Amino acid sequence: MTAEGDRDRIELPDTIELPRLLDLFDLQTAEYTGIAPFYERLAEGRLSTTRCADCGEVHFPPRVVCPGCLSDDLAYVDLPDRGELFAFTEVRAGGPVGFEDDVPFVVAIVDLGDVRLSTRIDDARGEDLAIGDPVELKVVDVVGPADLERVWFRFVPVAD
Amino acid sequence: MATTRNVAILGGGHTPWGTREATWKDLAQEAGKATFDAVPGIEPSDVEGLFVGTVQPERFANQSHLAPLVGELLGVEATKMIARTELACASGQAAIRYAWLAIAAGQLDVALVLGVEKMNLPGHMAEAHSSMLNVMDREFDGGNFSNAPPFFALVAQRHMHEYGTTREQLAQVAVKNKNHAAHNPYAQFQREVDVDDVVDSFTIAPPLCLFDCSGITDGGAGVILASEDVVREVAQPDDVAWITGSGQASLAGNSMNNLPSFSSWPQATIAAENAYEQAGIEDPLAEIDVAEVHDCFSISEIVEYEALGWAEPGEGGQFVEDGRSALDGDIAVNPRGGLLGMGHPLGATGVSQALEIVNQFKGAVEPARRVDDPSVGLTHNLSGTASVHSILTFAREVPR
C-alpha cells in the first residue's frame, strides 16, 4: 500500500466557469435562439413579441410556432411600454445561485393589455406599491460570463 | 372507467424527513428497506415494475438514470417495466399513477414505487432556490429570479384582493398542518405553533412568512402496488387502499406568463371532477374522509378547498377558519402534517401522501392525528406554477 504522502492525486480546478445550464439567461443571438429578433428589439429599447399571421394570436413569451394554430408564420409586434401592476411581492430571501445577496427585490405580474407578463419592478419597495399602479419598461444589460452582449427587461413605477 | 383490473396500495415505508446527513442513494436505500419491512408477503424478488419519482437529482446529486440505480441498490430486478418520473412537485404521484396503470392494464402484478429527493447541500442553499425556478419557464420567469415563494405570494395577494381572505386564515392552515406534523415522527417540523408564531415568522415574500412555506427537505418514501389477485394472496382486501379514480389536468400553460388565473385553479377542478366521477363520489364533502392535499404554501390549501369543490370560490379561508378541514371536520385535510409540517422532498411527497391514506385506513398512525374510521381518501398534488393538478382517490372497499 502506498504511503499517504506518496499517493497520486486527482486535482480538481479551484473554479469552474459557470456552465451554460446554470446561466439563467439564454444566449440571445440568431446563432443560438429562434427568438433573436425579440432580443434585438429589446436591445433597442423596444419590448416586443410574436403575433401569428394566420390566426392573429399574440403570444408571450415570443414563439417560433403559434401555440394557437401551429402556424410558423409569425411577425414581431411591439408591446406597450407602459402597463399596470396586476400582482406583486417583495422577495426578501431565496435568491438563486449567484444572487443570494440580491434581496430584497420585487417580482410582479404586469398587465399590458394583450399580454400579462412576469417581470421585476426596480426602484421600489413592496410597501410603496399597490395593485393597479402604472409601471414603465426599463431595459437592463446582462453582464458576464458569456462573451456576448445580452439584455433583459424590467419595469419601474411611474407617475400617473 | 376503463381500467381492466383493480389495483391497491398494500403499504409502504418512510425515511425520517429533514436536513439529513445522507446522500440520494442513502435515502433510496432507507426508503426501500422501510417499504419492504412494512409490507410482509412482498419481497424484492416479487417486484416486476419499478417506478421512481424524483425531480432534480441531476442538480442536487449529479445523477441521472435513477430507476435502474434504485434497482441495483435494493436488489430489485424489474422484469416488466421501469421508469423514473418527473413532474416537478407531483413526481411521486406520477410514479404511483404509472405503476397503477401498468398493473390495471395487465402488464404486471407487483410494483415498487419510490419517491426520493436530496435537496439540502450544506453551504449551498441557493441551489434549491435555483432549482425551484427552472420548473417554470427558466428563460422568461427565471430571468426575474422568480421561484416558488414569490409565485405563491402573488396567488395569496390576488386571493386576498379579490375575496378578502385574511392573513390569519392563511396562518390557520399552517397551524393545523404543523400541529399534525408535531405528532408525526417522520416530519421535518415537529413543533406545535399558533397563529402568532406563523405571522411573526420571518417574512419570505409578503404576505407569506417562513411558516407559510414548506421546507427544503431530504427524504424518501415508498409504497407497493399490486393487482387484486396478489392482494388477496398476501393481505386482507379491506386492509389496503384501492385506487378508485384519477384526474389530471394542465391547460396549455406553465410559465407565469400564461396562467388562466392567479386566484383559482381550474385545472384542479377538472382533475377533481374526473376523479370523483370515476370513483362514484357524488358529494365529496360528505363522502371523502381523509385528504392529503398539496399545501406547498398555506394559500395553496385554501385555493384547493375551492377548486376541489369543497368550498365556494372565495370561501376557502372561511373553510379553514370554521374548522371544516380539521381532523374532526367535514374532511380531515393533511393529518400527515402536510408539506408545511412534513417538509417537501419534491419527488417523495406524493408517495408519502398515498402512504398516509393507506396507514389512515389501517389505523396505523399516531392517535393524535388519526382520522376516525376513514373509508374514502384523496391525494392531490400541484406542480410548477400550479399549472398541473393531479388527483387520486382511494377506498378501503374493493371496487366493483
Side-chain angles (χ1 to χ4, degrees):
Chain A
M1 192 167 151
T2 315
E4 211 172 306
D6 297 333
R7 289 177 190 161
D8 284 349
R9 301 195 301 179
I10 297 170
E11 287 195 43
L12 302 180
D14 288 337
T15 58
I16 300 173
E17 189 186 349
L18 183 65
R20 193 59 61 220
L21 277 174
L22 296 181
D23 190 337
L24 295 175
F25 298 92
D26 274 9
L27 299 180
Q28 299 177 345
T29 59
E31 192 181 354
Y32 299 100
T33 175
I35 61 167
F38 167 80
Y39 288 113
E40 289 162 14
R41 284 167 166 76
L42 191 60
E44 296 164 3
R46 296 154 62 198
L47 183 65
S48 64
T49 195
T50 49
R51 180 180 182 277
C52 179
D54 286 325
C55 76
E57 184 169 315
V58 175
H59 322 117
F60 196 85
R63 307 298 187 193
V64 298
V65 169
C66 175
C69 72
L70 301 185
S71 168
D72 57 5
D73 187 6
L74 311 183
Y76 277 82
V77 292
D78 284 343
L79 289 168
D81 57 11
R82 281 195 179 200
E84 279 187 3
L85 271 183
F86 175 79
F88 64 92
T89 187
E90 181 181 272
V91 179
R92 298 188 188 165
V97 173
F99 299 97
E100 296 89 333
D101 299 327
D102 203 40
V103 293
F105 56 85
V106 174
V107 300
I109 303 297
V110 168
D111 193 341
L112 294 176
D114 279 340
V115 305
R116 212 165 63 186
L117 52 72
S118 82
T119 187
R120 268 172 71 156
I121 307 298
D122 278 358
D123 307 337
R125 293 294 304 255
E127 66 207 29
D128 304 327
L129 301 169
I131 288 174
D133 277 1
V135 290
E136 186 175 59
L137 177 69
K138 161 186 170 181
V139 177
V140 293
D141 289 324
V142 178
V143 181
D147 192 20
L148 292 166
E149 288 180 7
R150 296 191 289 176
V151 288
W152 192 239
F153 62 92
R154 291 178 176 173
F155 281 76
V156 291
V158 63
D160 249 323
Chain B
M1 172 150 179
T3 59
T4 54
R5 303 201 299 172
N6 285 329
V7 180
I9 298 181
L10 285 166
H14 220 282
T15 77
W17 284 10
T19 302
R20 296 288 315 276
E21 294 175 344
T23 64
W24 193 101
K25 290 190 287 186
D26 295 338
L27 295 167
Q29 291 170 85
E30 280 182 43
K33 175 177 168 48
T35 299
F36 285 112
D37 285 352
V39 183
I42 298 292
E43 304 289 327
S45 59
D46 297 319
V47 172
E48 300 164 310
L50 173 57
F51 301 86
V52 177
T54 185
V55 180
Q56 300 263 15
E58 284 82 358
R59 292 191 64 140
F60 290 125
N62 201 6
Q63 179 71 56
S64 295
H65 216 210
L66 280 302
L69 182 59
V70 166
E72 175 181 322
L73 295 169
L74 298 176
V76 169
E77 297 183 350
T79 53
K80 299 284 176 64
M81 203 174 284
I82 182 163
R84 172 253 185 116
T85 58
E86 189 278 297
L87 189 66
C89 304
S91 298
Q93 187 187 129
I96 292 174
R97 181 176 295 275
Y98 298 135
W100 160 59
L101 289 171
I103 296 170
Q107 288 291 317
L108 50 106
D109 283 295
V110 178
L112 168 65
V113 172
L114 218 59
V116 183
E117 209 76 44
K118 171 68 185 176
M119 300 180 73
N120 286 287
L121 308 178
H124 295 280
M125 276 288 281
E127 175 56 28
H129 302 307
S130 295
S131 302
M132 290 293 90
L133 103 196
N134 66 15
V135 302
M136 305 182 185
D137 180 330
R138 192 265 310 136
E139 184 181 13
F140 276 87
D141 297 316
N144 305 320
F145 307 167
S146 293
N147 56 16
F151 169 72
F152 286 92
L154 300 179
V155 173
Q157 186 192 42
R158 288 302 309 186
H159 205 272
M160 295 166 92
H161 178 73
E162 292 176 30
Y163 298 121
T165 303
T166 67
R167 175 61 273 231
E168 286 68 30
Q169 288 168 337
L170 299 181
Q172 282 160 3
V173 172
V175 168
K176 170 177 71 69
N177 297 349
K178 283 177 175 288
N179 289 355
H180 292 154
H183 301 284
N184 189 330
Y186 297 108
Q188 182 170 16
F189 308 109
Q190 297 181 28
R191 185 165 75 80
E192 292 203 6
V193 301
D194 60 25
V195 166
D196 287 340
D197 294 328
V198 178
V199 301
D200 292 341
S201 63
F202 178 76
T203 304
I204 299 283
L208 301 180
C209 301
L210 182 64
F211 287 3
D212 292 291
C213 307
S214 55
I216 293 168
T217 311
D218 309 330
V223 289
I224 303 284
L225 276 72
S227 64
E228 182 168 352
D229 289 348
V230 170
V231 171
R232 290 184 183 279
E233 275 174 38
V234 303
Q236 295 301 318
D238 62 352
D239 195 37
V240 299
W242 298 95
I243 297 178
T244 55
S246 152
Q248 198 171 36
S250 177
L251 300 178
N254 183 56
S255 157
M256 286 163 64
N257 296 285
N258 286 294
L259 298 175
S261 171
F262 278 81
S263 53
S264 67
W265 289 330
Q267 308 94 330
T269 303
I270 295 169
E273 286 174 354
N274 283 331
Y276 297 158
E277 186 182 346
Q278 290 175 20
I281 294 171
E282 289 172 2
D283 183 351
L285 215 48
E287 295 174 53
I288 297 170
D289 303 306
V290 54
E292 288 287 316
V293 305
H294 201 95
D295 59 326
C296 47
F297 296 86
S298 54
I299 181 61
S300 312
E301 189 170 310
I302 286 177
V303 180
E304 286 152 12
Y305 298 148
E306 302 167 13
L308 271 55
W310 306 344
E312 292 298 315
E315 294 180 8
Q318 197 63 45
F319 192 82
V320 65
E321 185 175 328
D322 292 345
R324 300 183 68 183
S325 53
L327 206 58
D328 60 354
D330 294 50
I331 299 179
V333 180
N334 288 328
R336 188 182 62 116
L339 284 60
L340 291 171
M342 286 297 295
H344 183 25
L346 312 173
T349 285
V351 180
S352 172
Q353 290 172 312
L355 176 58
E356 174 71 10
I357 301 294
V358 188
N359 287 339
Q360 287 284 354
F361 283 1
K362 291 174 189 279
V365 304
E366 290 68 26
R369 56 183 199 86
R370 188 181 298 160
V371 181
D372 183 30
D373 197 27
S375 59
V376 175
L378 175 146
T379 63
H380 160 274
N381 297 104
L382 63 77
S383 43
T385 50
S387 56
V388 183
H389 288 259
S390 306
I391 290 173
L392 291 172
T393 56
F394 303 88
R396 231 160 113 179
E397 197 176 310
V398 186
R400 280 178 289 126

